Amino acid sequence: MRLKKHIVFDCDCTFGVENCDVDDGLALMYLLGCPEAEVVGITATYGNNRLEVVLESLRRLLADLGREDIPVNPGGKKAGAYVSEAADFLTEMADRHPGELSILATGSLTNLMGAWKKDPDFFYKVKEIVLMGGITEPLVFQKKIMDELNFSCDPAASLAVLTGKTDVSVITGNNCLKVLFTKEDYKKRLFSSENPAAMYIREKTDYWFGYNETDYGIGGFYNWDVTAAVYLMHPELFSDSKSSFCLSEEDLKTGYLREGGKGSSCQENCGIISSLNLPVIGEEEAFKDNIYSAWMQVKMREKKE
């Protein structure tokens, strides 16, 4: 029997918002479908959209799921806005669960930087941080190159978190490309099911296939943030890949993680050398099975007749 993980989910959720990404919401549903996950709170950040839009999306999603008991804390509205309710909540949870708090962060890292500024020991108190963000090479698709949209939002904050002396694992955009979720997958696993959570997911995410096909030429979509959530809960489905990186604010303006730690080129191009874990998805079907299984276990609010 796995021990429950105490988790704060720091995200830029735009689930249900027209023309915006759906995977933060799917990551939250994944966590809520994992019996060994205890989401003690959510901290909202900007990234996929403005903070106000993210807050509205989160509250609507939690209401649909009947989980208004989970506190939602607004964070800073832009890079450098480090004083916020989210930062206060993060430090409070780190104190309440010393050495046991897990943080899943899938948007800008402004709130985590705010927590560290409020409490310089914050990173030492946290058990682990799993991030979705960063690239090690360009994300090139059929129609265009996709920009990195997480670490690049607040490069100073990203640098602080990536070098914060805690256990940090980074699910990069590049490593997410191993598994594409096609519409055929969804039809097979969700569209034929009368499970309330499956019906809800297909209703809220069906449009996203068309968006990715039109804008990027992708025949499906990548569950970026869900991948990070799966690693947090089931790292055995991945292969760890630890290496040294030369990190600088300049590189992080594009989300770039420069691998290396030795030689003159590193010294010229980086500010800080840090060891990071960039996990790689293992067996594809086992990974997908785990995600769909967790989604199916999510309890939905019963609709009134």
Side-chain angles (χ1 to χ4, degrees), residues 138-183:
L139 297 172
V140 181
F141 297 104
Q142 183 177 340
K143 292 188 177 181
K144 62 182 178 182
I145 296 175
M146 181 180 288
D147 293 333
E148 198 282 341
L149 299 174
N150 287 351
F151 292 177
S152 56
C153 289
D154 189 340
S158 299
L159 183 63
V161 176
L162 291 168
T163 59
K165 307 304 180 186
T166 194
D167 183 1
V168 176
S169 295
V170 181
I171 305 297
T172 65
N174 307 94
N175 286 345
C176 287
L177 299 183
K178 182 174 180 180
V179 178
L180 178 69
F181 286 72
T182 65
K183 193 154 189 175

Side-chain angles (χ1 to χ4, degrees), residues 61 108 125 197 273:
L61 174 56
S108 67
K125 295 176 181 178
I273 298 173

Side-chain angles (χ1 to χ4, degrees), residues 60-110:
R60 183 171 56 246
L61 174 56
L62 289 172
D64 288 346
L65 299 177
R67 292 304 309 269
E68 295 99 326
D69 58 299
I70 299 175
V72 177
N73 305 271
K77 293 185 177 182
K78 60 182 181 179
Y82 299 131
V83 177
S84 68
E85 292 179 34
D88 293 343
F89 181 79
L90 283 161
T91 57
E92 179 187 341
M93 290 300 103
D95 285 334
R96 186 177 301 180
H97 305 285
E100 296 181 352
L101 184 67
S102 300
I103 297 174
L104 174 64
T106 59
S108 67
L109 298 180
T110 300

